[in-house]
Amino acid sequence: MNERVVVVGNGMAGSRLATELHARGEDLKVTVLGAEPHRAYNRIMLSSLLAGKISEPDVELAEVAGRGVDLLTGVTVTGIDRPTRQVLTDDGDRIPYDHLVLATGSRAAVPTLPGLDPLRLPERVIPFRTLDDCRRIIALAGHARRALVLGGGLLGLEAARGLAARGLDVGVVHRVPYLMERQLDPAAGAMLAGTLTGLGVTTHLAVTPTAVEADACGVRLALSDGRSLDADLLLLACGVRPDTTLAAAAGLAVERGVLVDDRLLTSDRRISAVGDCAQHQGTLTGLVAPAWAQARVVAQVLTGQDPLARYQPRPVVTRLKAAGIDLAAMGDPTGGPGEELTFVDPARGTYARLRIHDERLAAAILLGDNPSVGAVIQLFDRGQPVPADRRALLLGRAVGGAVAAPAASPALMPDATTVCQCNTVSKGALVHCWRGGARTLDAVVGQTRAGTGCGSCRDAVTGIVDWLSRTDPVEVGQ
């Protein structure tokens, strides 16, 4: 009898795991259970959908098709019967498993405020988390003039910029004195606030919401400094909480997330966890690249392709994906050992800060137009030595031949350059795919998965494919 693998969750982690299992395990019978009625979609791209830059089909993920995979959407798992190795669903089914994978993701955090009931939010107060949330926001935005976003982190700013792109007057309320405090320092946060102001987004910093009043006509948000802000809708972007309800009820070891080891196994050796719900070495991911790396490890172990595969976290690079804003942050912005280099140009909205330790890049913040951002990300991601003359990285131009700026043409880009960080796809892999017969952008993306993660590399992938389409394959340089 084939090994039965049940995956609970059809989000970015669960759908990716199904794809990885299908590609490797001919003897597996995979069942994927998704609570949402939709096809799997790229949650990271919802901000682009909100901004009106793409349509719903553009956020859909390619689903596994073929023998051995059974996908059930609109099905909620209500319990796990570990002694009999079965999952229980809301329609009364009991689905047996030999191995269970929890990819239950996370839920939007709703702040505790007078006027907000997490179980029955007012019509004009919407979390920004799911495709249904995005649909509701877009519907309300079509008849709105003003919007408020509660939360000045990455998701909140992407939502704010998306609403501003639709012509709304947008305000962001953030408890901390500067934006994106997990990724930025105060100086970069202040510079980012100035950039947002120029894009039609007002920031209200170092203030705490104290109450919400909402009715059919609008929303009023009371603040700790005595002010009240009125709007037609209020978006909640206050972070997320791992969905550990099933795991906890089944008696699995849970802290903030479901505890897993290097093989992504829980306290029950028959159950794994991946993505937002998994807590590995005390850390929650919340990002697409680690979730997909975890899915790959689980697939390698379950199919026997590599029983010794282990998940090893890689350095995280955060990119703010919003029109008019170019921001990359990596490492701990709070400081540490090493030399610090900073460049600030308020007139151009440019800020660059590097921290170098043992001749390696330990942290970096690049805001504004900086041509060296690609080189900086490569150095950080690979842990390579930095050039002797640091000015090339800080100022984005070659100084004394230390570091060349990114190639103006893909022909000059080294094949080893990683184009898609989420899927670790190099320029050479794109060229190889093209030469193998994938002669359209969709075909290249479909085979390599480049551009299907956070989407920030999509323009680069498109540029390389355009270059290849104009070049004789025999003459394409390696």
Side-chain angles (χ1 to χ4, degrees):
M1 183 176 180
N2 291 350
E3 185 86 356
R4 299 166 300 184
V5 178
V6 174
V7 181
V8 180
N10 190 38
M12 296 188 72
S15 62
R16 182 56 168 257
L17 175 61
T19 300
E20 297 280 359
L21 289 171
H22 181 259
R24 292 175 169 83
E26 295 182 357
D27 296 329
L28 295 180
K29 182 182 185 305
V30 181
T31 301
V32 182
L33 305 173
E36 292 185 77
H38 326 291
R39 294 183 52 164
Y41 58 91
N42 188 333
R43 198 181 306 275
I44 308 301
M45 300 299 290
L46 291 181
S47 57
S48 296
L49 180 62
L50 180 60
K53 296 195 297 182
I54 60 175
S55 58
E56 283 197 12
D58 296 317
V59 305
E60 292 179 350
L61 294 171
E63 292 181 335
V64 176
R67 181 173 60 85
V69 178
D70 190 12
L71 172 61
L72 303 176
T73 58
V75 175
T76 300
V77 175
T78 58
I80 303 170
D81 188 339
R82 290 170 56 195
T84 63
R85 294 206 296 272
Q86 294 178 322
V87 295
L88 290 63
T89 69
D90 57 350
D91 55 11
D93 285 346
R94 299 177 70 91
I95 302 175
Y97 67 85
D98 295 303
H99 197 90
L100 176 66
V101 183
L102 300 178
T104 50
S106 55
R107 299 181 183 274
V110 177
T112 302
L113 287 174
L116 284 190
D117 179 354
L119 300 180
R120 294 186 62 184
L121 288 175
E123 179 185 359
R124 292 179 177 272
V125 178
I126 310 174
F128 184 43
R129 180 63 182 165
T130 68
L131 178 57
D132 282 339
D133 293 336
C134 196
R135 287 172 172 172
R136 290 176 57 205
I137 294 167
I138 291 172
L140 283 173
H143 306 281
R145 293 186 300 109
R146 295 170 298 175
L148 290 172
V149 177
L150 190 54
L154 182 65
L155 185 63
L157 298 186
E158 289 181 350
R161 183 66 187 103
L163 288 171
R166 288 183 174 270
L168 275 69
D169 180 9
V170 183
V172 174
V173 177
H174 196 46
R175 299 170 183 262
V176 182
Y178 61 100
L179 300 169
M180 290 182 62
E181 71 278 1
R182 293 185 179 182
Q183 295 87 16
L184 305 183
D185 57 22
M191 188 78 71
L192 178 57
T195 300
L196 287 166
T197 299
L199 296 172
V201 177
T202 303
T203 54
H204 307 273
L205 304 175
V207 290
T208 303
T210 56
V212 175
E213 297 179 19
D215 55 28
C217 297
V219 181
R220 171 167 291 181
L221 183 66
L223 303 179
S224 56
D225 59 5
R227 291 182 297 151
S228 292
L229 302 176
D230 294 323
D232 299 302
L233 69 153
L234 171 64
L235 267 66
L236 303 180
C238 307
V240 296
R241 300 288 183 270
D243 191 345
T244 61
T245 304
L246 275 177
L252 300 178
V254 172
E255 289 180 358
R256 292 180 299 156
V258 184
L259 298 183
V260 295
D261 62 15
D262 290 348
R263 290 180 294 172
L264 287 313
L265 292 172
T266 68
S267 53
D268 184 331
R269 302 293 90 179
R270 292 277 185 171
I271 303 177
S272 301
V274 296
D276 287 7
C277 70
Q279 179 178 333
H280 175 261
Q281 295 181 359
T283 300
L284 301 168
T285 62
L287 298 171
V288 59
W292 285 357
Q294 292 174 357
R296 183 167 55 252
V297 169
V298 170
Q300 289 172 329
V301 172
L302 292 184
T303 61
Q305 183 186 62
D306 184 2
L308 300 180
R310 298 293 185 269
Y311 171 63
Q312 297 180 337
R314 298 185 62 184
V316 174
V317 178
T318 300
R319 300 295 298 267
L320 179 57
K321 300 166 291 299
I325 304 174
D326 191 357
L327 171 64
M330 57 213 81
D332 185 357
T334 60
E339 59 179 301
E340 293 269 359
L341 299 92
T342 305
F343 172 77
V344 183
D345 185 351
R348 296 178 179 269
T350 301
Y351 178 87
R353 175 188 171 194
L354 309 177
R355 188 171 80 249
I356 299 169
H357 180 59
D358 289 339
E359 294 304 307
R360 265 55 175 187
L361 193 62
I365 299 171
L366 299 174
L367 174 62
D369 184 17
N370 190 318
S372 70
V373 62
V376 170
I377 291 175
Q378 290 287 326
L379 289 172
F380 177 78
D381 188 56
R382 299 179 181 180
Q384 295 175 332
V386 299
D389 192 333
R390 279 77 156 116
R391 291 174 294 172
L393 296 177
L394 195 63
L395 303 178
R397 58 184 176 86
V399 180
V403 173
S409 166
L412 303 177
M413 181 188 297
D415 268 11
T417 300
T418 300
V419 179
C420 176
Q421 294 289 328
C422 294
N423 289 291
T424 320
V425 181
S426 67
K427 178 242 182 173
L430 296 174
V431 173
H432 180 76
C433 180
W434 175 271
R435 287 179 163 177
R439 295 311 176 99
T440 66
L441 175 64
D442 288 344
V444 171
V445 169
Q447 291 189 28
T448 65
R449 297 174 180 163
T452 62
C454 70
S456 62
C457 68
R458 189 76 179 199
D459 289 344
V461 175
T462 301
I464 291 173
V465 172
D466 288 344
W467 162 68
L468 288 168
S469 69
R470 299 190 303 268
T471 306
D472 188 322
V474 177
E475 298 176 357
V476 174
Q478 288 292 315

